[in-house]
Amino acid sequence: MWLLHSSIGRKLVMSISGIVLILFLLFHLCMNVTAVFSPEAYNGICALLGANWYAVAATVGLGAIVAIHFVYAIMLTLQNRKARGNDRYAVNKRPAGVSWASQNMFVLGLIVIGFLLLHFSQFWYKMMFAELVGHHEVSPWGTEMLLSPKDGAAFVQYYFSQLWVVIAYLVWYAALWFHLTHGLWSAVQTIGWSNGLWLNRWKWFANIVATLIFLGFAFVTLFFYVKSLCCSAGCQ
């Protein structure tokens, strides 16, 4: 199959899967921002998703897309290394017009995947998976307190009250920002929705989307951290 064996086919799969994942990030961002303004509404969304069959099916599909995106990234990286041969050992300056992110997409992707596993272990495993196996109460990492798997707002508040978690997530958001600033416009170009006139416009659009995602997730994380500090100091 040309999607598997040809360079163009592999890049096309990478591009389409990447755009789908960006759309999911925007949905996830909107959901998380809801928790800032209304924990009850956020829990309502969590209950709507939860362990319902359609949410489980979407999660499986999303996991498959992440896996495909990552596997194809490995294939393209190995292909590029093979094509460069001994040149990959030479120390060269970055060519003009080539961003740092574009030369480090695979490393950035590894960071994103690594923190994604942390995120899954803190939230998905303690919420959707706990519901699927019939647990009515679970303990978040590092505490013996019990929470309902459906109380997503409580999980968010607990985890983002810990400084090391906040720092780790901010690092994740930064890596994601770099990854998206190159990945989005590159995906659009690969699909064929770009030309000489639109290329710079797509690059600006990619920067705007990546920055929106970074600032949105960072805002939610820092909001709950500051809220925890206020509660510790006796604020209402």
Side-chain angles (χ1 to χ4, degrees):
M1 292 178 60
W2 70 277
L3 287 176
L4 181 64
H5 298 293
S6 73
S7 176
I8 295 177
R10 292 172 179 175
K11 289 180 179 179
L12 183 61
V13 172
M14 278 278 292
S15 299
I16 294 175
S17 61
I19 289 176
V20 171
L21 293 175
I22 291 172
L23 292 175
F24 171 75
L25 281 173
L26 290 171
F27 163 76
H28 199 349
L29 173 60
C30 293
M31 181 177 171
N32 283 18
V33 170
T34 302
V36 172
F37 299 100
S38 176
E40 294 77 14
Y42 179 76
N43 282 344
I45 298 173
C46 290
L48 182 64
L49 299 176
N52 295 307
W53 68 268
Y54 50 83
V56 174
T59 300
V60 171
L62 182 65
I65 293 173
V66 171
I68 290 171
H69 193 74
F70 185 62
V71 168
Y72 271 73
I74 295 175
M75 293 168 62
L76 284 170
T77 299
L78 294 176
Q79 174 185 303
N80 292 337
R81 283 180 176 272
K82 182 178 179 180
R84 289 198 302 268
N86 293 329
D87 290 343
R88 68 179 183 272
Y89 298 107
V91 178
N92 300 314
K93 293 183 178 180
R94 186 167 70 244
V98 176
S99 67
W100 178 86
S102 67
Q103 291 192 314
N104 295 276
M105 286 293 285
F106 186 69
V107 174
L108 291 168
L110 286 177
I111 296 174
V112 172
I113 290 292
F115 280 100
L116 188 61
L117 295 176
L118 171 65
H119 181 66
F120 269 39
S121 68
Q122 291 177 325
F123 291 94
W124 177 83
Y125 180 72
K126 296 291 185 177
M127 296 177 68
M128 178 182 282
F129 181 79
E131 283 193 66
L132 287 173
V133 298
H135 291 168
H136 299 290
E137 292 183 321
V138 292
S139 296
W141 277 24
T143 180
E144 295 182 356
M145 71 176 181
L146 296 175
L147 298 175
S148 167
K150 298 180 180 180
D151 194 355
F155 278 92
V156 171
Q157 180 62 71
Y158 170 73
Y159 283 123
F160 291 155
S161 67
Q162 302 176 65
L163 182 58
W164 78 267
V165 174
V166 172
I167 294 174
Y169 273 75
L170 290 176
V171 170
W172 182 25
Y173 304 151
L176 189 61
W177 183 87
F178 280 109
H179 196 73
L180 294 180
T181 53
H182 175 75
L184 178 53
W185 71 260
S186 179
V188 171
Q189 186 180 46
T190 298
I191 293 173
W193 295 345
S194 181
N195 52 38
L197 174 64
W198 275 91
L199 181 59
N200 286 332
R201 296 176 182 176
W202 279 117
K203 287 183 177 181
W204 274 104
F205 179 73
N207 285 333
I208 292 172
V209 172
T211 302
L212 176 65
I213 290 174
F214 170 81
L215 292 178
F217 280 118
F219 165 69
V220 174
T221 301
L222 293 173
F223 173 85
F224 281 101
Y225 180 67
V226 172
K227 181 180 178 180
S228 71
L229 294 179
C230 291
C231 290
S232 298
C235 297
Q236 298 297 320

